[in-house]
Amino acid sequence: MSLTTFNRFEKKYIVSESIFKNLLNDFKPYLEKDDHLDFFSYYTIYNIYYDTDADEIIKYSVSKPEFKQKLRIRGYSGNKKDDLVYLELKKKLHGYVNKRRTLISK
């Protein structure tokens, strides 16, 4: 079983559609299409998040704590035999994200 780890600083912003389009045009020279893109130039990401029966993890997460973690299964496109599906553990502390994932079989 191969394990991959990602580390990054994550900050999210709400922007208008016009600002989004301007940013997309500015970033376009630096962006590359990934292997998940199909003929229509988009793909869908499917997530299943695991939680307790009382939804304690999501309730804690939306309270914006300094530290939070989530366990999920993530897949791309969702209906092709060779789609990639990962088991992921995502941890966030003060905006820094650490994500560990391993490829699993469907």
Side-chain angles (χ1 to χ4, degrees):
M1 181 183 306
S2 175
L3 183 66
T4 304
T5 303
F6 304 89
N7 290 298
R8 65 178 182 256
F9 184 76
E10 189 174 275
K11 202 73 170 166
K12 297 177 183 176
Y13 299 92
I14 297 173
V15 297
S16 68
E17 187 174 346
S18 62
I19 290 174
F20 171 74
K21 288 179 180 178
N22 289 335
L23 287 171
L24 189 58
N25 285 331
D26 291 345
F27 292 149
K28 221 171 210 173
Y30 307 101
L31 300 175
E32 295 179 19
K33 291 183 178 181
D34 67 25
D35 295 336
H36 304 294
L37 289 172
D38 61 16
F39 177 78
F40 300 105
S41 296
Y42 71 90
Y43 59 91
T44 304
I45 299 173
Y46 294 87
N47 296 303
I48 298 173
Y49 286 88
Y50 291 89
D51 205 336
T52 67
D53 289 340
D55 298 325
E56 293 167 295
I57 295 171
I58 190 61
K59 289 175 183 174
Y60 180 72
S61 182
V62 297
S63 73
K64 300 189 186 268
E66 291 182 14
F67 172 77
K68 60 184 174 181
Q69 61 185 351
K70 298 175 183 177
L71 179 65
R72 69 183 177 203
I73 290 181
R74 171 172 275 188
Y76 299 88
S77 296
N79 56 5
K80 298 177 190 160
K81 185 176 182 179
D82 58 346
D83 285 343
L84 301 176
V85 178
Y86 297 93
L87 176 65
E88 299 181 344
L89 177 62
K90 183 177 177 182
K91 297 180 180 187
K92 188 172 185 180
L93 177 64
H94 302 294
Y96 290 94
V97 177
N98 174 276
K99 182 171 70 173
R100 295 178 183 195
R101 74 180 187 180
T102 188
L103 189 61
I104 60 174
S105 60
K106 291 203 265 181

